[in-house]
Amino acid sequence: IFIVFLHRWNYNPTTSTATMGIHFLVSVLLISIATLTSSFQVGRPALAQVKSTAWRTSASERRSRHILAAKNKNKDGDEMSDVDEYRNGATAFLSNFMQSSPSPVPAGEGSRPINDDPLSDIDFDAPKAPKMSLQNLAAVLDAELYEKEWFVTGNISPIYFDDEFQFQDPDVKLTGVEEYARGVRKIFDQTSRAQIISSVVNTTIPNTITITWRLSGRVNIGPKGLAIKPYICYTDFTVDEESGLVVFQEDRFDIPGWDILLSALFPFLIGKVTKEPAPEVEPRVVKMPVISGGKKGGILDGLFQQLGL
């Protein structure tokens, strides 16, 4: 992988074609070995395990950890990661090249608040949405995601998520809604898109809503970032039967990890060695559904009623 970075950012025009070819082949081999030998599939945890608190910190403890991490930075001056586990060696290595982001600046007493936190408008302690049917929740999430694209912006709506929410994809695992939101905000350049194709109740996995979407844009890895070849993602939301809140999210991709990595590092391979980019997504007209008694306002009606507003 080190050779990959030498080839990607320190290309020497005097290097012979034969040497470049050897570097390229070794790079591909190293990436393939790192991806294939270090990746492992972890089965979807049972709902009881997801809800268990024996091995997880509370939401308040994780909030304290996040505040502490903003103050205590690593030796390079970057915030410590909230990732619980990197699921393959290639991702763990590339995380060392993540671009740093500025920490929120607290407001001084008597001065105008100064805050560089892009997610400061999100109330992560907001009251949760009232329980609704899976069909209604799928429609609500479809409208929210279509507008906010929080899979890349981090502009999430925490009211639909359990405080002990967990996330995993082929690369990482983490716990906490805020940790997830800040993680995706940090990794994705904000020219990136998460274009929602559909949000439906899964007919084969119980208590699950599946979102199909197209990812495109750039990731903040390396001095200049890396372009993402557009590809299709599938997000499975596991919903708790009792609370009606999302307790677990698992992302799957329509192309393997080595294809994603090679396409980012060597764009000239796209369509030759790697798969063609996913086609553009046709725009849809998506409106927030009316949930409570035919009144306008959708899901917030029920929430406001519970609060006596």
Side-chain angles (χ1 to χ4, degrees):
I1 295 178
F2 178 69
I3 295 175
V4 170
F5 278 88
L6 287 179
H7 183 76
R8 175 65 176 82
W9 283 300
N10 296 305
Y11 169 72
N12 185 347
T14 64
T15 303
S16 68
T17 303
T19 302
M20 288 173 55
I22 292 173
H23 284 187
F24 172 73
L25 290 176
V26 172
S27 300
V28 172
L29 180 61
L30 288 175
I31 293 170
S32 300
I33 292 174
T35 302
L36 294 176
T37 60
S38 301
S39 297
F40 58 91
Q41 293 299 319
V42 177
R44 295 171 64 87
L47 190 59
Q49 181 185 20
V50 173
K51 294 295 289 181
S52 171
T53 57
W55 56 278
R56 287 173 298 169
T57 57
S58 67
S60 60
E61 289 172 333
R62 291 197 308 275
R63 184 68 50 80
S64 299
R65 183 183 70 182
H66 178 77
I67 295 173
L68 183 63
K71 297 177 180 179
N72 299 306
K73 298 187 176 185
N74 63 24
K75 63 182 179 180
D76 297 321
D78 296 331
E79 291 183 19
M80 294 187 295
S81 173
D82 286 318
V83 172
D84 294 339
E85 175 187 333
Y86 286 104
R87 303 187 68 203
N88 68 68
T91 303
F93 179 83
L94 289 174
S95 68
N96 296 314
F97 296 86
M98 188 80 68
Q99 297 173 6
S100 61
S101 56
S103 300
V105 178
E109 185 176 354
S111 64
R112 181 179 178 182
I114 300 174
N115 196 341
D116 292 331
D117 182 2
L119 304 182
S120 60
D121 290 337
I122 300 177
D123 183 0
F124 288 99
D125 295 317
K128 301 302 181 182
K131 183 180 180 181
M132 65 189 87
S133 69
L134 279 179
Q135 288 78 12
N136 286 341
L137 181 58
V140 169
L141 290 173
D142 187 54
E144 290 267 34
L145 278 164
Y146 194 88
E147 176 186 357
K148 298 181 178 180
E149 300 187 20
W150 69 61
F151 292 148
V152 294
T153 65
N155 187 24
I156 199 168
S157 295
I159 63 173
Y160 308 113
F161 293 84
D162 189 270
D163 286 337
E164 302 300 327
F165 164 80
Q166 287 183 298
F167 166 83
Q168 77 174 30
D169 67 9
D171 298 321
V172 300
K173 294 176 67 176
L174 60 81
T175 301
V177 178
E178 184 172 359
E179 286 76 5
Y180 169 79
R182 295 191 181 282
V184 297
R185 180 77 185 199
K186 183 176 181 180
I187 192 171
F188 289 107
D189 179 275
Q190 290 308 292
T191 61
S192 301
R193 297 293 311 277
Q195 296 171 283
I196 307 303
I197 299 171
S198 66
S199 306
V200 298
V201 176
N202 194 304
T203 58
T204 59
I205 307 175
N207 304 313
T208 300
I209 294 170
T210 297
I211 316 294
T212 303
W213 52 288
R214 179 183 186 264
L215 173 63
S216 62
R218 301 183 67 84
V219 290
N220 296 318
I221 294 178
K224 299 180 181 179
L226 287 175
I228 305 170
K229 177 184 69 176
Y231 60 92
I232 302 299
C233 304
Y234 306 96
T235 293
D236 293 325
F237 285 134
T238 300
V239 180
D240 180 35
E241 286 186 281
E242 296 181 5
S243 67
L245 299 175
V246 176
V247 294
F248 183 67
Q249 173 181 336
E250 182 170 12
D251 286 0
R252 301 173 282 113
F253 313 138
D254 75 333
I255 56 176
W258 63 263
D259 186 312
I260 297 171
L261 190 56
L262 282 184
S263 297
L265 296 173
F266 305 106
F268 57 85
L269 294 179
I270 297 175
K272 299 173 183 176
V273 176
T274 63
K275 191 176 179 180
E276 292 282 357
E280 294 287 342
V281 176
E282 291 293 329
R284 298 185 291 140
V285 177
V286 180
K287 297 181 179 179
M288 176 65 79
V290 175
I291 303 299
S292 300
K295 297 180 181 180
K296 293 185 178 180
I299 184 61
L300 295 181
D301 281 339
L303 182 59
F304 291 157
Q305 289 173 10
Q306 286 192 353
L307 297 176
L309 300 177

